[in-house]
Amino acid sequence: MHVMRYLLDKGADVNKPVYSGHSPLHHAAKYGRDEAARLLLSRGASVDSTFRGLTPLHFAAGFGMIGVMKVLLEHHADPNKVSEEGSTPLTEALRGTDSGLPESTILECVKLLVEAGTDVNAANIETPLVIATSYGLTDCVKYLLKAGADPNIPHIHTGAKPIELAAIRGRRKLVELLFPLTSPIQTVRNWTVEGIIAHAKRPSKPSKPTVKHDKSTKVQLKSFGEKAIKRKDYHGASKFYTEAIELDPSDATLYSNRSLCYLQTTEADKALHDANTCIKLRPEWIKGYYRKGAALMSLEDYKEACDAFMAGLQLDPGNAEMEKVFMEAVEEMKKDHLARKGSKPSD
């Protein structure tokens, strides 16, 4: 805090983004730096500054940083801001389960956003209720329903209502919770809790047909992922690739594609992990090294990024794109070195 205050006193640009594109307030939000956020806002930081459409409130909600959320909302952060991928702070909070957030933390984030006036039925991609049901967040589902969430708005890709998603995943409590508020579905002949659950059950299949089904399902999921990327729905795309990987964990292309999605959703650590898996599966494929270098650039590890891009160039010395990003990494490494050298105290 002392260093930050000193730099701001010396005229540092409070809104200037770092190489990755994040503003200082984004960093404070992501890492739960409440006082840093207050200081930045007091010095003129834009409360709704965006990185690929994601505001600091998106970051704070997605990482469960309740203290920073309160600070941002006190400064009138927009709880309904829609990112380029179509997410809102509320949907980011609900997807926090992907990062290991406990439901109690997610619920607290949801309550803060609802109290701030967020739209509980926003359906830019999937409604908050669809997401909460898909993840099995029972307490969040209860709260969203009380807050006015509509259980009849279906999943944007499959057309399934939340109650069907709950039944498919075997979550009886959620089916019982959603049943009184859900309009009957024509394809479900026996409109009871038991009937809905029975309708969702799939008959067992012999091993060979199941393998064929898995293969065709993987192709379909991969296609859905590609279409989602074209819509810039990187969260949705990563979920499709995750499901495809569960069917075929040996397909390097799936890890490469999901690495791209994670990078676009500012989850560089996950992007790096997938890039490394891609390289392990297909060490001769240049794309894995490109993904690894891109993730390392986002993490501001320029030396390792140079090494990754160089490894790719060794596979394909004439690749212009790989050469370009390698030179960019070299330049950033030089700048970082000079900055570190300049920050050392003089004797």
Side-chain angles (χ1 to χ4, degrees):
M1 281 292 292
H2 294 298
V3 174
M4 181 183 292
R5 195 180 300 276
Y6 173 80
L7 292 172
L8 290 172
D9 288 342
K10 291 296 182 180
D13 185 349
V14 73
N15 289 307
K16 186 176 181 179
V18 296
Y19 177 84
S20 61
H22 304 85
S23 71
L25 191 56
H26 280 101
H27 276 281
K30 180 177 180 179
Y31 296 108
R33 302 292 298 279
D34 305 15
E35 292 306 312
R38 286 189 187 279
L39 176 59
L40 290 167
L41 289 165
S42 72
R43 297 299 183 93
S46 173
V47 72
D48 286 325
S49 60
T50 59
F51 170 71
R52 295 195 177 99
L54 295 165
T55 66
L57 187 57
H58 281 87
F59 275 56
F63 287 94
M65 300 304 174
I66 295 166
V68 181
M69 285 183 68
K70 291 178 179 178
V71 172
L72 294 170
L73 290 170
E74 285 171 8
H75 286 78
H76 311 294
D78 185 355
N80 289 304
K81 189 77 172 179
V82 181
S83 74
E84 292 177 8
E85 294 86 12
S87 68
T88 65
L90 179 55
T91 57
E92 287 293 310
L94 291 166
R95 290 194 178 97
T97 189
D98 286 333
S99 302
L101 289 182
E103 185 177 3
S104 58
T105 299
I106 294 172
L107 179 59
E108 194 166 349
C109 293
V110 170
K111 288 180 177 179
L112 281 174
L113 292 166
V114 170
E115 289 167 4
T118 193
D119 181 0
V120 294
N121 288 312
N124 304 292
I125 301 176
E126 300 167 356
T127 66
L129 190 59
V130 163
I131 296 171
T133 304
S134 298
Y135 284 126
L137 302 173
T138 304
D139 290 337
C140 289
V141 169
K142 288 179 181 178
Y143 183 80
L144 287 169
L145 288 172
K146 289 181 180 178
D150 185 352
N152 293 298
I153 301 175
H155 187 289
I156 193 169
H157 300 300
T158 66
K161 291 183 179 181
I163 196 169
E164 294 175 278
L165 297 173
I168 290 169
R169 289 164 172 78
R171 294 172 178 144
R172 184 186 181 89
K173 288 185 177 179
L174 282 178
V175 175
E176 293 173 346
L177 186 64
L178 292 161
F179 180 73
L181 302 169
T182 304
S183 299
I185 300 168
Q186 291 183 351
T187 55
V188 182
R189 295 181 180 179
N190 179 14
W191 189 248
T192 62
V193 169
E194 294 295 343
I196 295 166
I197 293 173
H199 179 79
K201 289 182 179 178
R202 296 178 181 178
S204 59
K205 297 180 181 180
S207 57
K208 289 185 179 179
T210 300
V211 171
K212 291 180 181 179
H213 171 73
D214 286 352
K215 185 176 180 180
S216 63
T217 302
K218 187 192 85 167
V219 172
Q220 187 177 40
L221 288 167
K222 189 174 180 180
S223 175
F224 285 157
E226 291 168 354
K227 290 176 182 177
I229 286 178
K230 288 180 180 178
R231 297 194 304 272
K232 295 185 178 180
D233 173 13
Y234 299 109
H235 273 301
S238 65
K239 289 169 66 177
F240 287 126
Y241 290 130
T242 296
E243 291 183 41
I245 286 170
E246 289 175 358
L247 296 176
D248 185 4
S250 65
D251 188 337
T253 305
L254 297 174
Y255 291 98
S256 172
N257 292 349
R258 192 172 68 173
S259 178
L260 168 64
C261 294
Y262 282 145
L263 193 60
Q264 294 295 325
T265 56
T266 70
E267 299 174 277
D269 289 327
K270 291 183 179 180
L272 178 59
H273 183 272
D274 273 1
N276 282 327
T277 303
C278 176
I279 291 171
K280 184 178 180 181
L281 291 170
R282 287 181 63 181
E284 76 290 349
W285 191 33
I286 191 173
K287 184 61 70 68
Y289 300 95
Y290 184 92
R291 297 286 188 234
K292 180 175 182 178
L296 289 164
M297 288 289 280
S298 184
L299 291 167
E300 300 181 17
D301 189 344
Y302 306 119
K303 172 63 170 62
E304 291 296 322
C306 286
D307 292 344
F309 291 138
M310 176 55 73
L313 277 172
Q314 289 174 345
L315 289 174
D316 184 4
N319 190 293
E321 180 61 24
M322 187 66 82
E323 185 174 351
K324 177 185 175 183
V325 292
F326 171 72
M327 293 307 299
E328 290 175 356
V330 169
E331 287 302 312
E332 290 302 323
M333 183 172 64
K334 289 179 181 177
K335 292 178 184 177
D336 186 57
H337 176 71
L338 289 173
R340 291 176 186 275
K341 186 177 180 181
S343 65
K344 290 181 180 180
S346 57
D347 294 334

